[in-house]
Amino acid sequence: MGLKRLSSLTKDRSCKLIFEAMKFDGTAQRGIFKDFQVRGEDENFKLRVGDAEPGNPMYMMKNHDNAQFSTFDRDNDKWSADCSGYHGKTGWWYHDGCHNHNPNGIIAEKDFPNKDACYNYCSSWTKQDKRVCWRATRLSFICA
């Protein structure tokens, strides 16, 4: 779709972000976030994401609120190095510690017994402060 189109569809509307992921064991995860927007190019496509709806296993997405979109050739994150380059040259709204969610990360070939190894791949933190590797992700949105 592209960031310009995503911004034009969300920046002045009331939208919800729907974040779906599939773990290696086949378990599906789904999170819905209120007040989703992607601001314009003049703000480096800043992400706006509100509170999660109840029962959301992906609550850490809120930590990416106000992050600017970064790629390997446009380092807009607040980390002293380059989050995009470090995580496989993928684009994402990295924050100062890179990420809590990395749905655009490289998909691992298999799950890891040591979940901390998932950090460099398509992954997320859980409420139990453990990392989860994903084998597939999908982000979508609906607007009122």
Side-chain angles (χ1 to χ4, degrees), residues 70-90:
S70 283
T71 61
F72 71 95
D73 60 344
R74 284 194 167 190
D75 183 15
N76 294 317
D77 61 68
K78 294 180 182 174
W79 189 40
S80 60
D82 173 16
C83 291
S84 176
Y86 186 77
H87 293 289
K89 296 187 177 182
T90 61

Side-chain angles (χ1 to χ4, degrees), residues 31-97:
I32 299 176
F33 299 86
K34 302 172 187 174
D35 304 320
F36 169 67
Q37 292 183 335
V38 174
R39 305 303 301 161
E41 188 171 13
D42 59 324
E43 296 181 66
N44 293 317
F45 302 105
K46 182 187 291 185
L47 175 69
R48 298 293 312 179
V49 63
D51 293 331
E53 292 189 351
N56 188 339
M58 299 178 177
Y59 71 103
M60 298 287 280
M61 182 68 188
K62 178 76 172 146
N63 290 351
H64 295 270
D65 184 43
N66 280 317
Q68 297 176 15
F69 197 83
S70 283
T71 61
F72 71 95
D73 60 344
R74 284 194 167 190
D75 183 15
N76 294 317
D77 61 68
K78 294 180 182 174
W79 189 40
S80 60
D82 173 16
C83 291
S84 176
Y86 186 77
H87 293 289
K89 296 187 177 182
T90 61
W92 184 241
W93 290 278
Y94 297 107
H95 58 71
D96 57 348

Side-chain angles (χ1 to χ4, degrees), residues 12-24:
D12 296 319
R13 299 174 71 190
S14 175
C15 301
K16 291 182 181 182
L17 173 66
I18 303 162
F19 193 139
E20 299 170 294
M22 181 71 66
K23 294 174 17 180
F24 276 88

Side-chain angles (χ1 to χ4, degrees), residues 120-131:
N120 291 324
Y121 293 92
C122 183
S123 63
S124 177
W125 283 105
T126 68
K127 287 186 177 182
Q128 295 79 26
D129 289 331
K130 295 181 181 175
R131 185 141 303 267

